[in-house]
Amino acid sequence: MPGHVFGRSTRGSLPVAAAGDGCYILDAEGRRYLDGSGGAAVSCLGHSNASVRAALHDQLDRLAFAHTGFFTSEPAERLADRLAAAAPEGIERVYLVSGGSEAVEAALKLARQYFMELGQPERHRVIARRQSYHGNTLGALAAGGNEWRRAQFAPLLVETSHIAPCYEYRGRAEGESVEAYGLRVADELEAEILRLGPETVMAFVAEPVVGATAGAVPAVPGYLRRIREICDRHGVLMILDEVMCGMGRTGHLFACAEDGVAPDMIAIAKGLGAGYQPIGALLVQGRIYDAIAAGSGFFQHGHTYMGHAMAAAAANAVLDEIEDCDLLSAVRQQGARLEALLHERLGQHPHVGDIRGRGLFRGIELVADRDTKAPFDAERKLHARIKAEALAGGLICYPMGGTIDGHLGDHILLAPPFIISDAQVEELVGKLSDALDRALAA
């Protein structure tokens, strides 16, 4: 379709999305696509939820927007109350934004201001992990460890330290227990804090389950608890990025619940609005808010559309659906079904090295050789071929390259709607398997 939209790519053309029907998107030509990745882990309720649409109609009839410099709104107040009530221990305040990058950007700026308010201006350094992704604004991009995304913007980015990811498939040594591996890579954080000087470090940022960059890589048992201990020992804020893996995607409303940790801040987005409205949030420990309140009384940050009434109304309706329909249980049940079918169909595939993830957040790492874990030649762009073959076969999935180091490695990310049926799980795995075989044969 010719036009004036400046899209993600200047090459090729995309089908025109025309309608949604549960787990499917229909294009203008009438073709149906099973949404096996929720777009980018966004559409957790599918594309035609009647309750969310009704809530949006109702809110639109009342009020669409009031600037938060002048007003609050009932939907925003209600959303903040229920998120704080459901969040890990100590989370008392919710800063509503319009997306994941904004949430992470706000976290970094709030961390800096927090230490300024405490009289510790020397704390400014951020530590994160290689092969992570925290958003596309400059602060969030600097925190992220996705080398491909960072490369051309490197001169604009604030210096950030990056330690090893918790990536068991690639990182655990032969004979090393899972627990010992997790503690070993977690201890890299303490080594880096000591190298930089503990008095200069303000925050550590990580995804409990790494999303797009590495393909649903979960933290191993004990890893995040050790990270929490290290942060506490050195007065460093622990910021968890649950933009992709949060809001029920792993079977818990907050992914870190499975790891038994309570961070200082949590960034959420994507599934919070389920695609019906752009919304994100930064959840904050009470003591951080209290430091601002007792000091300047003003967080020096903000965006025009933060706390948007329509967006908050959508998020409330999404949470209602998750609670009323017991969708967290559905995620755990259908996630187990998806995992089992992936292992049944692809577990012995000569080019599938690892199948991983939690709930309805699953990754498949592709290799040229299973025994050596050697990746495919990056120039082959296997991930791009899989995406094209899947779309041609009526499946939306999320393949990416650079899984190992930003250049080498290919994986496929799956994050279907929480409402996916047994038959649709089978359809997803069948279409994915066929697309993989066609891409490898090309």
Side-chain angles (χ1 to χ4, degrees), residues 174-399:
E174 186 176 352
E176 185 177 32
S177 72
V178 172
E179 292 77 10
Y181 164 69
L183 297 180
R184 173 169 63 81
V185 290
D187 285 344
E188 287 196 22
L189 173 60
E190 185 153 49
E192 184 64 8
I193 290 172
L194 294 173
R195 186 188 74 82
L196 295 170
E199 71 284 355
T200 71
V201 180
M202 72 176 189
F204 173 70
V205 187
E207 302 157 275
V209 184
V210 179
T213 296
V217 179
V220 301
Y223 171 82
L224 286 177
R225 286 194 294 275
R226 176 62 69 90
I227 292 290
R228 175 75 274 181
E229 292 169 2
I230 294 168
C231 288
D232 287 343
R233 185 153 54 241
H234 297 288
V236 173
L237 295 177
M238 180 183 186
I239 301 171
L240 292 186
D241 175 354
E242 296 202 3
V243 169
M244 252 196 175
C245 64
M247 292 295 96
R249 176 56 58 189
T250 65
H252 299 269
L253 195 62
F254 294 94
C256 60
E258 189 164 336
D259 300 284
V261 296
D264 298 298
M265 301 188 208
I266 309 175
I268 58 173
K270 294 190 184 288
L272 179 62
Y276 291 88
Q277 285 281 285
I279 188 168
L282 174 63
L283 283 65
V284 180
Q285 287 271 342
R287 76 176 192 283
I288 297 174
Y289 176 88
D290 292 343
I292 305 297
S296 66
F298 176 70
F299 179 25
Q300 195 173 327
H301 183 62
H303 293 276
T304 299
Y305 286 110
M306 61 182 286
H308 196 281
M310 289 287 288
N316 278 311
V318 169
L319 291 176
D320 286 342
E321 285 291 280
I322 290 174
E323 294 169 5
D324 295 346
C325 300
D326 195 18
L327 291 181
L328 295 181
S329 293
V331 169
R332 292 191 288 269
Q333 178 179 321
Q334 295 302 79
R337 184 180 301 276
L338 176 58
E339 179 184 32
L341 281 175
L342 287 171
H343 279 284
E344 179 183 311
R345 187 72 179 263
L346 298 174
Q348 299 305 311
H349 193 289
H351 297 298
V352 171
D354 192 28
I355 298 172
R356 55 187 177 239
R358 297 177 184 172
L360 284 173
F361 199 44
R362 299 286 165 175
I364 302 161
E365 184 163 342
L366 305 170
V367 291
D369 186 293
R370 282 170 60 103
D371 293 333
T372 65
K373 302 183 183 180
F376 284 95
D377 185 340
E379 299 305 314
R380 185 172 179 176
K381 296 188 182 300
L382 179 60
H383 59 283
R385 294 186 183 187
I386 293 169
K387 181 179 179 180
E389 291 291 349
L391 200 64
L395 174 67
I396 301 166
C397 61
Y398 197 154

Side-chain angles (χ1 to χ4, degrees), residues 31-80:
R31 291 185 289 266
R32 293 171 67 86
Y33 305 84
L34 176 63
D35 191 353
S37 60
V42 175
S43 300
C44 58
L45 300 182
H47 300 278
S48 58
N49 187 278
S51 296
V52 180
R53 291 186 306 186
L56 285 168
H57 281 292
D58 180 67
Q59 184 60 42
L60 183 59
D61 288 340
R62 297 170 186 269
L63 174 73
F65 169 74
H67 194 283
T68 53
F70 304 95
F71 298 98
T72 186
S73 68
E74 187 280 330
E77 293 288 338
R78 179 171 177 246
L79 178 60

Side-chain angles (χ1 to χ4, degrees), residues 87-160:
E89 182 181 1
I91 296 290
E92 296 178 4
R93 297 287 173 166
V94 177
Y95 188 86
L96 296 175
V97 294
S98 298
S101 295
E102 282 188 25
V104 173
E105 197 81 10
L108 296 171
K109 291 178 75 175
L110 181 57
R112 172 60 179 166
Q113 184 171 337
Y114 169 69
F115 285 114
M116 290 291 290
E117 303 270 1
L118 292 184
Q120 300 178 38
E122 66 278 5
R123 285 193 186 262
H124 67 283
R125 297 186 184 277
V126 174
I127 302 173
R129 303 186 300 184
R130 296 188 294 275
Q131 288 308 93
S132 60
Y133 178 61
H134 299 298
N136 259 332
T137 54
L138 289 176
L141 189 63
N146 185 315
E147 289 305 317
W148 172 74
R149 294 180 190 267
R150 289 168 51 93
Q152 67 175 321
F153 303 109
L156 306 179
L157 303 181
V158 174
E159 182 181 353
T160 304

